[in-house]
């Protein structure tokens, strides 16, 4: 989108640089434990944090890239990527203009957004049944 | 009047899947500064919602607030405003003009319970003649619109506190919506103030989304601002805060400290006395906020910011003692777990820790 990355600005990081990112990693550790123990999923809204310049990149770099990548096309794209830490997912939702609407780190066996939703499945069933009965619209 | 369709019906008609709606709700949760686990509950509430009618009145203003809103990226104006509400009157955005436009406003006002959005202050001197629309003074138009309204959202510092039109010497006798109610000049209704010059676009849509989801006024601070967005000061959440805590200040706009990104307090930063979401929500699709661009906060979301002295004069005293322990980053690291909840500390759901939140938890 913008060419900000192309402008060589050196930002000196604050005395506690990385503290936010470290705190998030600690939170992920706890969340992974909870997922194993109770199956409870967790989600961190990256837009809600006062991250220092560079901390988001640091997080992304630290979490790395895993095996699964899902692209969803629903009211704009969504990019769901498993990180190198399995069960930790980086989820970015874009709008139809390809702008980031929301960005989360999710801890789950499979992010909910990937699964087909119950009501949609019911509608699919109805549509397919109607088709087989020969009275599709 | 025909029955207004629910948001779910509306979306289904447009062929929008539940998955897409869930995505939208995840973004809406983020927008409303709610925990992501709220998305399914939001989906349920919004699904049942009948699109409420909204009348937007622009008075003594610069259209900057509308400009800001129409650049809001998260649920875009198209999806949020035009799908979830029925915007029956907005003199800049609506297609109708002249008599047809004013007719639309009057029709919308017949069915009580609509939401009124106001940007701009209201002139009161000389019978309010300094700003009129179709020959009707702003004061009269507001009075009429409030009669059957459920609530009013004052968008921007002008509507919320009088803003620049009210700045000394205030030649038009400009007043805020709240001030007019306090003086009995317009009907009293619940007011949500969304100040800023302009307000952050996602904060405008976030407040609207909250009202739509919960059907009620969010928790407000003493100046009528939703605490979910205005609960913290800029200084509380500023990434330069560690420099402030260590007494490392830029002294001019191009000295070494400025180049290294030190605290802008001595250059007049009003962050310590200003409540807004700029430091976390940021501007231009989350790109940055003024302090990140090297300029101190000017305090635009506070009453009378224009008359509060020079933007470049330091506040008289540090807002609180220089102590490392108050640094947001340090506190975050110490807490570790729950970092993502720091910003939602005032929410019941956040307090209750990591349980699955429901709509009930968040009401009041
Ligand atoms: S004074 Fe301004 S620049 Fe310095 S830490 Fe506070 S908000 Fe940030």
């Amino acid at each position: 989108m913008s060419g900000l990355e192309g402008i060589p600005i050196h930002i000196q990081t604050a005395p506690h640089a990385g503290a936010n990112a470290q705190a998030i990693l600690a939170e992920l550790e706890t969340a992974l434990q909870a997922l194993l123990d109770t199956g409870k999923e967790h989600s961190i809204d990256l837009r809600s944090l006062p991250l220092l310049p560079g901390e988001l990149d640091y997080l992304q770099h630290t979490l790395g890239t895993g095996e699964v990548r899902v692209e969803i096309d629903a009211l704009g794209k969504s990019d769901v990527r498993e990180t190198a830490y399995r069960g930790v997912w980086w989820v970015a939702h874009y709008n139809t203009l390809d702008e980031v609407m929301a960005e989360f780190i999710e801890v789950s066996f499979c992010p909910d957004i990937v699964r087909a939703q119950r009501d949609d499945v019911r509608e699919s069933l109805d549509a397919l049944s109607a088709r087989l009965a020969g009275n599709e619209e | 009047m025909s029955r207004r369709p629910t948001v779910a019906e509306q979306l289904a008609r447009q062929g929008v899947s539940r998955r897409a709606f869930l995505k939208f709700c995840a973004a809406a949760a983020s927008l409303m500064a709610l925990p992501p686990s709220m998305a399914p509950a939001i989906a349920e509430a919004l699904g049942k919602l009948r699109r409420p009618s909204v009348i937007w009145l622009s008075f003594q203003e610069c259209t900057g607030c509308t400009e800001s809103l129409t650049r809001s990226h998260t649920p875009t104006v198209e999806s949020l405003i035009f799908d979830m509400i029925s915007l029956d009157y907005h003199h800049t955005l609506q297609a109708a003009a002249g008599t047809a436009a004013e007719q639309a406003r009057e029709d919308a006002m017949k069915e009580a319970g609509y939401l009124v959005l106001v940007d701009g202050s209201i002139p009161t001197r000389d019978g309010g003649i300094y700003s009129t629309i179709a020959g009707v003074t702003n004061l009269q138009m507001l009075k009429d619109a409030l009669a059957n309204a459920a609530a009013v959202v004052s968008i921007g510092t002008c509507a919320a506190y009088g803003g620049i039109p009210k700045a000394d010497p205030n030649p038009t006798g400009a007043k805020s919506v709240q001030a007019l109610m306090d003086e009995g000049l317009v009907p009293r209704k619940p007011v949500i103030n969304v100040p800023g010059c302009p307000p952050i676009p996602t904060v405008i849509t976030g407040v609207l989304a909250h009202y739509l989801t919960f059907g009620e006024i969010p928790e407000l601070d003493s100046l009528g601002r939703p605490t979910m967005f205005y609960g913290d000061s800029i200084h509380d959440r500023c990434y330069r805060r560690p420099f402030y805590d260590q007494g490392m200040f830029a002294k001019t706009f191009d000295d070494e400290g400025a180049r290294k990104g030190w605290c802008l307090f001595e250059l007049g930063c009003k962050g310590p006395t200003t409540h807004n979401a700029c430091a976390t929500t940021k501007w231009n699709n989350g790109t940055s906020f003024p302090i990140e661009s090297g300029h101190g906060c000017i305090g635009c979301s506070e009453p009378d910011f224009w008359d509060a002295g020079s933007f470049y004069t330091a506040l008289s005293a540090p807002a609180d003692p220089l102590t490392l322990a108050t640094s947001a980053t340090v506190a975050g690291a110490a807490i570790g777990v729950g970092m993502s909840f720091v910003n939602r500390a005032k929410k019941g759901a956040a307090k209750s820790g990591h349980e699955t939140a429901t709509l009930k938890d968040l009401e009041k």
Side-chain angles (χ1 to χ4, degrees), chain B residues 325-362:
Chain B
T326 56
S327 158
T329 49
V330 173
I335 298 164
V337 173
M339 178 60 199
S340 63
F341 286 104
V342 173
N343 210 26
R344 291 105 151 72
K346 288 170 191 78
K347 288 279 163 203
K351 282 191 200 122
S352 72
H354 298 242
E355 300 306 311
T356 305
T358 66
L359 271 186
K360 281 242 155 30
D361 294 334
L362 293 154

Side-chain angles (χ1 to χ4, degrees), chain B residues 58-134:
Chain B
S58 294
F59 294 146
Q60 210 169 21
E61 44 84 38
C62 67
T63 314
C65 295
T66 295
E67 284 288 330
S68 177
L69 176 67
T70 53
R71 273 151 189 70
S72 125
H73 58 290
T74 315
T76 53
V77 157
E78 298 83 52
S79 61
L80 181 78
I81 300 301
F82 297 120
D83 286 349
M84 285 170 42
I85 66 174
S86 168
L87 186 62
D88 292 322
Y89 178 83
H90 185 303
H91 73 193
T92 309
L93 299 181
Q94 69 190 154
T99 318
E102 301 311 313
Q103 189 60 46
R105 178 173 54 83
E106 276 162 29
D107 287 347
M109 278 161 39
K110 281 181 192 139
E111 196 182 358
Y114 50 83
L115 189 64
V116 174
L117 269 47
V118 176
D119 67 324
S121 63
I122 300 94
T124 58
R125 187 163 296 164
D126 301 328
I129 55 143
Y130 294 106
S131 180
T132 63
I133 298 166

Side-chain angles (χ1 to χ4, degrees), chain B residues 35-244:
Chain B
S37 55
M38 284 298 297
I42 293 168
E44 210 192 312
L46 284 182
K48 285 189 249 148
L49 178 86
R50 299 205 183 285
R51 300 167 71 213
S53 169
V54 170
I55 298 176
W56 181 312
L57 301 173
S58 294
F59 294 146
Q60 210 169 21
E61 44 84 38
C62 67
T63 314
C65 295
T66 295
E67 284 288 330
S68 177
L69 176 67
T70 53
R71 273 151 189 70
S72 125
H73 58 290
T74 315
T76 53
V77 157
E78 298 83 52
S79 61
L80 181 78
I81 300 301
F82 297 120
D83 286 349
M84 285 170 42
I85 66 174
S86 168
L87 186 62
D88 292 322
Y89 178 83
H90 185 303
H91 73 193
T92 309
L93 299 181
Q94 69 190 154
T99 318
E102 301 311 313
Q103 189 60 46
R105 178 173 54 83
E106 276 162 29
D107 287 347
M109 278 161 39
K110 281 181 192 139
E111 196 182 358
Y114 50 83
L115 189 64
V116 174
L117 269 47
V118 176
D119 67 324
S121 63
I122 300 94
T124 58
R125 187 163 296 164
D126 301 328
I129 55 143
Y130 294 106
S131 180
T132 63
I133 298 166
V136 180
T137 65
N138 293 168
L139 186 60
Q140 187 61 44
M141 194 174 276
L142 180 64
K143 212 168 166 177
D144 295 346
L146 286 181
N148 288 326
V152 52
V153 185
S154 292
I155 292 182
T157 303
C158 297
Y161 307 129
I164 292 174
K166 178 174 169 279
D168 192 47
N170 191 3
T172 65
K175 291 197 157 100
S176 68
V177 173
Q178 184 68 59
L180 293 175
M181 284 185 192
D182 292 345
E183 292 173 29
L185 292 172
V186 298
R188 183 174 285 282
K189 298 285 168 173
V191 179
I192 308 172
N193 285 331
V194 185
C197 197
I200 302 173
T202 48
V203 169
I204 304 177
T205 43
V207 170
L208 294 181
H210 185 280
Y211 180 81
L212 295 172
T213 308
F214 301 104
E216 60 179 30
I217 310 294
E219 186 191 41
L220 305 176
D221 70 6
S222 60
L223 291 167
R225 302 175 291 202
T227 52
M228 61 180 138
F229 296 116
Y230 298 89
D232 292 322
S233 72
I234 300 296
H235 187 64
D236 285 339
R237 315 296 287 162
C238 178
Y239 75 100
R240 295 196 188 211
R241 181 61 181 270
F243 290 114
Y244 173 94

